Amino acid sequence: MRTLFLPFLLLLVLSVLSVGVSAANLRSDETALLTAKSLLSDPSSSLSSWNASTDRCSNWTGVSCDSSKRFILSIDISALNLSGPVPPSLSLLRTLRHLNLSNNALNGTFPRSLAVLRSLTVLDLYNNNLTGPLPVELAQIPNLRHLHLGGNFFSGEIPVQYGSWQYIEYIALSGNELVGPIPPELGNLSTLKELYIGYFNSYAGGLPAEFGNLSSLVRLDAANCGLSGEIPPELGLLKNLDTLFLQVNGFSGTLPVELGSLSSLKSLDLSNNALTGKIPASLSNLKNLTLLNLFRNKLYGEIPEFVGDLPSLQVLQLWENNFTGSIPRTLGRNGQLQNLDLSSNKLTGSLPADLCYGNKLQTLIALGNFLFGPIPDSLGQCESLTRVRLGENYLNGSIPPRLFSLSELTQVELQDNLLTGEFPNTVGSSNLGEISLSNNQLMGVLPASIGNFSGVQKLLLDHNSFSGKIPPEIGKLQQLSKMDFSSNSFSGDITPEISKCKLLTYLDLSRNNLSGQIPEEITGMRILNYLNLSRNNLDGQIPPMISTMQSLTAVDFSYNNLSGLVPGTGQFSYFNATSFVGNPNLCGPYIGACKSGVSDSEVHTKRSGSLPNSFKLLVVIGLLLFSVTFAIAAIFKARSLKRASEARAWKLTAFQRLDFTCDDVLDSLKEENIIGKGGAGIVYKGVMPNGEHVAVKRLPGMSRGSSHDHGFNAEIQTLGRIRHRHIVRLLGFCSNHETNLLVYEYMPNGSASECMSAIAGSYGYIAPEYAYTLKVDEKSDVYSFGVVLLELITGRKPVGEFGDGVDIVQWVRMNTNSSKENVTKILDPRLEAVPMNEVMHVFYVAMLCVEEQSVQRPTMREVVQILTELPRKEDAGLKDNRSGSDMGDEGEKGSDEPPQAGPQTPPAPDLLSI
């Protein structure tokens, strides 16, 4: 009996101890998580389920346990809009294997104590605001397999200790502020499969030759991170590598022959470097290659014939090199080719006939070469084709008759060639947005079918030999923004139907044989910027109402047979005589006194519009004196109210933990602390009691006694949640009923305005040309604005929601085919109440702004004018695809019947005012 009792007693003791340990563990884990929650700002209440009254394993958001519910194994609280520090209390979760805090706004440095989580296999902190050096202590976690620290603000060098992990498979350090050399010790990671170290980092030197020892490596992305030197030939040892991205660096020398040994390679991007020499013959062994990008280098020689024989090649971009010779004749015969760009080289010969053999070719760009011969007729049957850019060559023959009918085609550039024949008389394509045939030898009459290109935005036919009348069907081109028919032989009257092109900003009909009068209807084109009718045979008067066209910035009526008085008001008061010369019967202040044939009333009207200079001077002096008097009075008034205003109660709203109060902020408002002044307020530099430097921006006061902030509080709450490397961080704001003080982190190396205006340089807002030229201009800002409009329409972020390598612009194009009629496919459900004509109009403007080529984007002036020229539903002939109801038609303007009774809904918001 005793022998049975002792084992039973021992088992009972162990069970009690186990239950006790388990209960203690439960309390410890729960305490650790509740402590972590208390350190985090959670504006969306995403962690509201974390409370002691519920089961942490079953009910707590993002928490997963083992099957016994005794141990926490995983915490995934990614993308919950959390801010604050990475909670050190998480180090108490000793059984934790998976920790994902990515896509939040966590700040501060990485807590060293988390290195005690020795069971951790996955650590993901991507896309936060973490600072300081990369945590060396992570090298102490022996079983780590996945480490993502990208998209933060980590600085300093990559620790050499990161080369000691035995089981690591994934490392991402891209998108930080890392410097120094890349440690060769990383070459010791024999289990590593994916390594991402580029973008925003700026290393010294090149890639270590030891990377050739990464025998398991599948993907290496070291793009845009300041690397230099030669590409190590040891990379040819990576037999499992399928992706090698080294673009936008400073690599020099020749392409290593050893790259031909990468038998698994699918994507090779070495673009935008300083590589020289020829394409090595060894690359013919890359039978799995789908993408080959070598553009923007200094490569020369012929494009090897084997390039056309690569069986899997889909993307070939070799532009801006010095390649000579002809294009490989077999290119495209693999039936896989999708994108081809050979522009800006010195290629000769003709275009291969089989480029679209598999009917998958989407982009064909070969402009700026010395190509000759005809455009292959096979391109007219390439149903997949979206863009054709073959300008600036010596191509001859006629345009393939079916080319302009391809349903997916959005852009055709054939300018500066030797093309002959007529404009294709086809059914047209509603998706075609640009037709550029400038500077060829085309002739004949424009067909009426030109009105079928309902989606065309740019129609450039200048410097050809087109003749006959401009067809009235041109008025059907409702999306047209630029029309250049100059230097042809068009005759007859200017068709008044041109005025129906309400989005037209540029119209050039100069150097033709046009006759008759200038149509009065042109004066109704409210956003027209540029109008050139010079060197024709026009007669009659310049329509007086043309002076009311406030959008006009340039006009040219010179060398016609116009007569009468030149309008002198509105925009016409800024034009000079060069716009009107060559018209002997015109008169006005620019070109001489009017003859007796001009009525006295017209002259009197003109003169009465002008005031004597002496009178103008007196008016200006009077206004100046009034302004000075008013300013002095305002200063005395402001001083008298200063103490009363500041005596009011102040409220501090903080967007992170702050160790100072409004009183500390108010102490900074001294004359000697002013570091900037502007129309938006005064900026002071302040030092808080804890030594922290801040910038305090005092905004212009609200009306005295006003209790309404006109949306200020809501907007400033939004700004406070923004975390971006190029935007000064708003720490908080102090406010009373009359004054608002914004408290920013202090930026000693630049003004707040400089930092605040740099958002266009952030990933997702970057214009495509920046990746190749590293330069920005006004058109780059236009692109960024277009991205913002797409964010407004879709309700999505610019990146991170569409899969690897896809941003919001690419996603929108894929889902809408750039057609505004398909905007419902990407529309934010929250905007369903917005009138569809507004949505489509804003979408149209957005797609203009994000054109891939900067020259095709409008100016911001044009953007503003197009946005304000919202077409009416009945004018646009739109249909609301969400309900299927007819939203208006030219033939049916609507019904006079009263609407049926039904539930009352609030008015839809105005999308253009959001």
Side-chain angles (χ1 to χ4, degrees):
M1 181 70 180
R2 179 172 298 186
T3 57
L4 292 175
F5 177 74
L6 288 176
F8 175 76
L9 183 61
L10 180 61
L11 181 62
L12 181 62
V13 171
L14 290 175
S15 299
V16 171
L17 289 174
S18 175
V19 171
V21 171
S22 177
N25 183 70
L26 286 171
R27 288 193 295 272
S28 174
D29 287 357
E30 185 176 283
T31 300
L33 290 177
L34 291 177
T35 302
K37 176 184 176 181
S38 68
L39 293 175
L40 297 173
S41 173
D42 181 15
S44 304
S45 299
S46 301
L47 302 182
S48 59
S49 61
W50 288 24
N51 61 77
S53 63
T54 58
D55 178 42
R56 77 207 199 305
C57 291
S58 302
N59 302 105
W60 288 23
T61 299
V63 177
S64 301
C65 301
D66 67 334
S67 57
S68 67
K69 296 188 177 181
R70 295 169 56 193
F71 304 108
I72 294 178
L73 301 182
S74 172
I75 296 177
D76 186 346
I77 50 175
S78 59
L80 296 182
N81 197 25
L82 304 174
S83 60
V86 176
S89 62
L90 296 179
S91 62
L92 300 175
L93 306 176
R94 298 301 177 89
T95 60
L96 195 64
R97 298 178 184 175
H98 184 119
L99 178 58
N100 189 346
L101 306 178
S102 65
N103 292 292
N104 284 295
L106 303 179
N107 50 47
T109 59
F110 184 86
R112 296 181 177 182
S113 59
L114 294 191
V116 302
L117 299 176
R118 300 303 173 87
S119 298
L120 205 62
T121 60
V122 174
L123 176 60
D124 193 339
L125 298 175
Y126 168 68
N127 197 21
N128 280 285
N129 298 311
L130 300 176
T131 57
L134 291 174
V136 178
E137 294 77 13
L138 292 181
Q140 302 171 15
I141 302 177
N143 297 313
L144 198 62
R145 284 171 168 77
H146 182 107
L147 175 64
H148 202 333
L149 302 179
N152 283 283
F153 297 88
F154 287 116
S155 56
E157 300 184 5
I158 300 175
V160 296
Q161 293 87 342
Y162 280 17
S164 63
W165 284 300
Q166 295 184 8
Y167 306 106
I168 196 76
E169 297 178 356
Y170 182 103
I171 296 178
L173 307 176
S174 53
N176 281 289
E177 297 174 350
L178 303 176
V179 295
I182 297 174
E185 286 80 3
L186 294 183
N188 298 329
L189 304 176
S190 59
T191 59
L192 189 63
K193 295 181 180 179
E194 298 182 50
L195 178 59
Y196 304 90
I197 55 176
Y199 307 102
F200 290 113
N201 297 318
S202 184
Y203 303 113
L207 280 180
E210 288 79 2
F211 273 24
N213 298 326
L214 299 173
S215 56
S216 300
L217 198 64
V218 175
R219 293 179 183 172
L220 173 58
D221 189 344
N224 198 2
C225 57
L227 296 175
S228 58
E230 296 190 356
I231 298 174
E234 289 80 3
L235 294 183
L237 300 174
L238 306 178
K239 303 299 182 183
N240 294 309
L241 197 67
D242 75 3
T243 301
L244 178 58
F245 286 165
L246 301 178
Q247 69 268 23
V248 196
N249 280 296
F251 286 113
S252 56
T254 60
L255 293 172
V257 175
E258 290 79 4
L259 294 182
S261 301
L262 300 175
S263 55
S264 300
L265 197 63
K266 295 180 180 178
S267 298
L268 176 61
D269 195 337
L270 306 178
S271 61
N272 213 331
N273 281 285
L275 299 171
T276 59
K278 300 181 178 181
I279 297 177
S282 61
L283 296 192
S284 62
N285 298 322
L286 305 181
K287 303 301 182 183
N288 294 309
L289 199 64
T290 61
L291 178 144
L292 178 59
N293 281 351
L294 300 176
F295 58 86
R296 273 195 170 270
N297 278 287
K298 301 176 182 179
L299 302 172
Y300 56 82
E302 295 190 359
I303 301 174
E305 285 293 327
F306 72 76
V307 172
D309 298 326
L310 293 173
S312 304
L313 191 63
Q314 299 175 8
V315 177
L316 178 62
Q317 299 193 95
L318 305 179
W319 52 277
E320 277 202 31
N321 280 286
N322 292 303
F323 289 118
T324 55
S326 59
I327 302 172
R329 307 315 299 167
T330 57
L331 191 61
R333 289 184 189 172
N334 65 358
Q336 304 297 320
L337 193 62
Q338 298 178 15
N339 296 304
L340 175 64
D341 192 341
L342 305 176
S343 57
S344 301
N345 281 287
K346 297 178 176 61
L347 299 173
T348 57
S350 59
L351 290 167
D354 298 323
L355 291 174
C356 191
Y357 182 75
N359 204 31
K360 296 181 179 179
L361 186 66
Q362 298 174 10
T363 301
L364 172 59
I365 305 178
L367 74 161
N369 282 287
F370 298 95
L371 300 174
F372 53 81
I375 300 173
D377 286 338
S378 57
L379 291 182
Q381 302 171 20
C382 186
E383 298 294 338
S384 57
L385 207 54
T386 61
R387 299 176 63 209
V388 176
R389 304 187 67 206
L390 300 176
E392 301 169 36
N393 281 288
Y394 294 90
L395 300 174
N396 53 36
S398 59
I399 300 172
R402 293 187 55 193
L403 183 63
F404 288 3
S405 299
L406 297 175
S407 60
E408 302 296 322
L409 198 61
T410 62
Q411 180 184 26
V412 175
E413 289 186 8
L414 303 177
Q415 74 279 1
D416 299 304
N417 278 290
L418 302 173
L419 299 174
T420 57
E422 299 184 348
F423 190 97
N425 188 0
T426 65
V427 294
S429 169
S430 60
N431 286 325
L432 191 52
E434 178 181 1
I435 301 175
S436 179
L437 305 177
S438 306
N439 200 20
N440 278 284
Q441 299 173 9
L442 300 168
M443 61 183 65
V445 177
L446 283 185
S449 60
I450 198 169
N452 295 334
F453 297 102
S454 57
V456 73
Q457 300 160 18
K458 294 184 180 180
L459 182 57
L460 312 178
L461 307 182
D462 55 287
H463 292 87
N464 281 285
S465 298
F466 290 115
S467 57
K469 292 186 176 182
I470 297 176
E473 288 78 7
I474 209 81
K476 296 181 179 180
L477 306 183
Q478 295 292 301
Q479 306 301 319
L480 195 61
S481 63
K482 183 173 183 178
M483 175 178 168
D484 192 344
F485 283 13
S486 63
S487 299
N488 280 284
S489 298
F490 289 112
S491 58
D493 295 341
I494 298 176
T495 176
E497 277 75 11
I498 287 181
S499 63
K500 295 181 179 179
C501 302
K502 297 297 184 182
L503 298 180
L504 203 59
T505 62
Y506 183 105
L507 176 60
D508 192 343
L509 303 179
S510 63
R511 298 179 183 272
N512 281 286
N513 298 317
L514 298 171
S515 57
Q517 297 188 0
I518 300 173
E520 189 77 29
E521 290 84 351
I522 284 183
T523 62
M525 303 175 72
R526 294 178 55 191
I527 64 172
L528 191 66
N529 293 159
Y530 179 93
L531 175 62
N532 192 343
L533 304 179
S534 65
R535 298 185 184 273
N536 281 288
N537 299 312
L538 301 173
D539 53 34
Q541 290 188 342
I542 298 175
M545 288 297 293
I546 204 168
S547 62
T548 65
M549 298 175 66
Q550 298 181 0
S551 59
L552 278 179
T553 58
V555 298
D556 193 344
F557 298 101
S558 61
Y559 299 101
N560 280 286
N561 296 314
L562 300 171
S563 58
L565 181 65
V566 174
T569 58
Q571 292 295 101
F572 273 69
S573 62
Y574 298 100
F575 303 140
N576 55 41
T578 58
S579 298
F580 309 100
V581 297
N583 293 279
N585 296 318
L586 276 181
C587 63
Y590 314 111
I591 47 181
C594 293
K595 299 179 181 179
S596 58
V598 180
S599 66
D600 291 339
S601 61
E602 288 178 335
V603 176
H604 178 73
T605 301
K606 172 65 181 173
R607 288 175 179 171
S608 63
S610 302
L611 295 174
N613 289 336
S614 58
F615 182 78
K616 292 180 180 179
L617 181 60
L618 289 174
V619 171
V620 171
I621 293 175
L623 290 174
L624 181 60
L625 291 174
F626 176 79
S627 300
V628 171
T629 304
F630 180 81
I632 293 173
I635 291 172
F636 280 106
K637 183 68 174 178
R639 287 180 176 176
S640 67
L641 295 175
K642 181 178 180 181
R643 290 185 178 180
S645 175
E646 293 183 348
R648 294 179 180 270
W650 288 90
K651 176 184 177 183
L652 174 64
T653 301
F655 301 117
Q656 63 184 59
R657 292 183 178 271
L658 300 178
D659 295 327
F660 53 82
T661 66
C662 277
D663 290 336
D664 300 320
V665 174
L666 289 171
D667 287 341
S668 303
L669 306 185
K670 301 175 183 178
E671 189 74 21
E672 60 267 24
N673 291 342
I674 293 177
I675 57 176
K677 292 183 178 181
I682 303 175
V683 181
Y684 303 82
K685 178 183 177 181
V687 181
M688 299 297 100
N690 62 353
E692 181 179 2
H693 291 258
V694 299
V696 182
K697 186 171 187 177
R698 183 170 190 160
L699 301 181
M702 296 182 287
S703 301
R704 185 171 184 178
S706 172
S707 60
H708 198 287
D709 67 358
H710 301 286
F712 169 83
N713 190 67
E715 293 188 21
I716 218 68
Q717 291 282 353
T718 301
L719 287 174
R721 291 195 292 269
I722 293 177
R723 295 292 183 267
H724 193 279
R725 67 181 63 247
H726 291 310
I727 300 182
V728 177
R729 186 174 302 169
L730 180 61
L731 304 178
F733 73 96
C734 297
S735 61
N736 60 18
H737 290 295
E738 296 182 6
T739 309
N740 290 304
L741 306 175
L742 305 185
V743 184
Y744 290 95
E745 62 177 339
Y746 178 66
M747 302 295 290
N749 295 324
S751 69
S753 62
E754 288 171 341
C755 297
M756 290 294 287
S757 66
I759 190 171
S762 62
Y763 179 52
Y765 298 93
I766 300 175
E769 65 270 12
Y770 177 77
Y772 312 137
T773 65
L774 302 183
K775 296 178 181 178
V776 295
D777 55 18
E778 181 202 8
K779 294 300 185 73
S780 304
D781 294 336
V782 172
Y783 183 93
S784 303
F785 180 72
V787 174
V788 173
L789 290 182
L790 291 180
E791 289 183 83
L792 173 66
I793 294 169
T794 64
R796 293 173 176 263
K797 298 178 181 179
V799 293
E801 301 186 25
F802 316 107
D804 291 342
V806 179
D807 59 23
I808 192 171
V809 176
Q810 295 167 314
W811 178 77
V812 166
R813 284 178 179 146
M814 288 187 293
N815 283 275
T816 67
N817 216 7
S818 299
S819 172
K820 65 180 184 181
E821 283 74 20
N822 295 327
V823 70
T824 53
K825 296 180 180 179
I826 50 96
L827 184 63
D828 186 341
R830 294 171 293 181
L831 298 180
E832 287 190 349
V834 177
M836 180 53 69
N837 66 317
E838 291 189 14
V839 175
M840 295 174 73
H841 188 64
V842 174
F843 177 79
Y844 164 76
V845 176
M847 298 313 290
L848 285 180
C849 293
V850 297
E851 283 282 355
E852 191 164 335
Q853 302 299 318
S854 63
V855 295
Q856 296 170 3
R857 300 175 203 142
T859 64
M860 279 308 301
R861 178 188 177 97
E862 292 172 335
V863 168
V864 172
Q865 289 173 337
I866 298 173
L867 275 175
T868 55
E869 188 67 14
L870 177 67
R872 296 177 300 172
K873 296 176 185 177
E874 56 266 29
D875 286 346
L878 302 176
K879 290 187 177 181
D880 191 331
N881 295 327
R882 292 171 296 200
S883 64
S885 60
D886 194 341
M887 297 294 291
D889 187 270
E890 289 191 11
E892 297 180 66
K893 297 295 182 182
S895 171
D896 293 331
E897 297 179 10
Q900 295 181 353
Q904 297 296 311
T905 58
D910 183 353
L911 186 62
L912 298 181
S913 64
I914 293 177

